[in-house]
Amino acid sequence: MHQDKRKVVVIGAGSVGTAYIYALLQGGLAGEIVLLDIDTKRVEGEVMDLSHGLPFIPPVKIRAGDYNDCSDASLIVVTAGAKQKQGQSRLELIRSNVEIVGLICEKIKKSGSEAVFVMVTNPVDILTFLALQRLGWPKERVIGSGTVLDSSRFKYMLSMHCGIDARNVHAYILGEHGDSEVAAWSMTHIAGIPIKDYCAICGACDNLKTYEQITVEVRNSAYHIIDYKGSTYYGIGLSLVRISEAILRNENSVLTVSTLLEGEYGLSDICLSVPCIVGSGGVSSIITAKLDPAEQRALESSADVLREGLKSLS
Ligand code: NAD
């Protein structure tokens, strides 16, 4: 871990890559940010634009770079590739993005990097699994942004419904970052109280109906945003900053990143999101919670969906 430099390489200068950098710059978390894209003119333009705000923020270097920059990076974030069109699922991006991500991983591998690698490009779980194979790095260091964004949407929607600060809501979305994701209501707490007990005290709504509505709303969020404005990038930008904080500050934070499962939750040989402890080396361990039986079955189905996606490539 190159703690002193806190060098972050971002591959993909599109909406997600630049929203992430814009948010990352402001907290003073990174010492150096390097941007890469096949569209080198775009990279130059984005770097110029972002650099012009540097006098207002904590010191950081930002510049265009190449794959040699990965060699001494602390963190590599991949946001390159095709994005969802209206009505398209994340899994439907698989063909377009597998090749792009494969080539990127080959180049990163050649650099001899010891960074933590974070996949963001969709379908993020499948691409994290393929990146792990291509890079050949320890599984701890190859993770996907997974359902960190979905868990944030879940907390936000719960907080709005209950009229409580989102920071007092603990809630996780597990499984695929996509249509088969699982809202883990059995792990949801408000002010330290399990949600079902909290609802019994509060009594303000028909909680079962509300659970269903919130679950559907979280799952369909990206479709709504894409319908209204073409793509999503601010929420994922901030989610990536949260993951970066955990890594660059060695926080050991619990985040639902996508990671390779090796028997946890009864699942193996697949990357998907479960609560993980994230620090400077990536995922140091997976938290295995006892899920409600219906949630456990839904998580297994989510893994099956991802396995089918992987199979479709062979
Ligand atoms: P975008 O079209 O704005 O940007 C994509 C960028 O990738 C472009 O600048 C393009 O030139 C670059 N690119 C393509 N091939 C490349 C290569 N071989 N090497 C380097 N750069 C290359 O798209 P976006 O809105 O930034 O979305 C990027 C990805 O992030 C999409 O797959 C999208 O679905 C995904 N995404 C993920 C999440 C998540 O939670 N994981 C959330 C939002 C978007």
Side-chain angles (χ1 to χ4, degrees), residues 11-18 36-40 42-43 67 78-84 90 93 97 99-101 103-104 107 119-124 127 144-150 153 177 222 226 230-233 235-237 239-240:
I11 304 173
S15 311
V16 172
T18 52
L36 276 75
D37 196 292
I38 39 167
D39 185 345
T40 50
R42 179 165 189 173
V43 172
Y67 283 89
V78 176
T79 70
K83 61 184 170 196
Q84 286 166 272
R90 295 172 181 94
L93 294 172
N97 287 340
E99 203 177 325
I100 293 175
V101 163
L103 290 171
I104 290 172
K107 292 179 192 164
M119 177 62 72
V120 187
T121 305
N122 277 318
V124 65
L127 295 179
S145 57
T147 57
V148 173
L149 171 58
D150 314 65
R153 287 174 173 151
H177 168 60
I226 292 166
S231 61
T232 77
Y233 36 91
I236 182 63
S239 305
L240 292 172

Side-chain angles (χ1 to χ4, degrees), residues 83-155:
K83 61 184 170 196
Q84 286 166 272
K85 297 188 184 77
Q86 258 190 2
Q88 194 178 29
S89 78
R90 295 172 181 94
L91 279 174
E92 288 174 77
L93 294 172
I94 194 166
R95 292 252 161 236
S96 336
N97 287 340
V98 157
E99 203 177 325
I100 293 175
V101 163
L103 290 171
I104 290 172
C105 287
E106 294 300 324
K107 292 179 192 164
I108 295 174
K109 190 174 177 178
K110 274 194 197 137
S111 75
S113 175
E114 291 183 4
V116 175
F117 174 102
V118 179
M119 177 62 72
V120 187
T121 305
N122 277 318
V124 65
D125 303 289
I126 289 178
L127 295 179
T128 304
F129 186 82
L130 295 175
L132 184 58
Q133 290 181 332
R134 289 289 176 103
L135 290 166
W137 293 1
K139 70 164 204 142
E140 294 75 18
R141 275 172 49 216
V142 182
I143 63 180
S145 57
T147 57
V148 173
L149 171 58
D150 314 65
S151 296
S152 173
R153 287 174 173 151
F154 190 21
K155 285 188 219 177

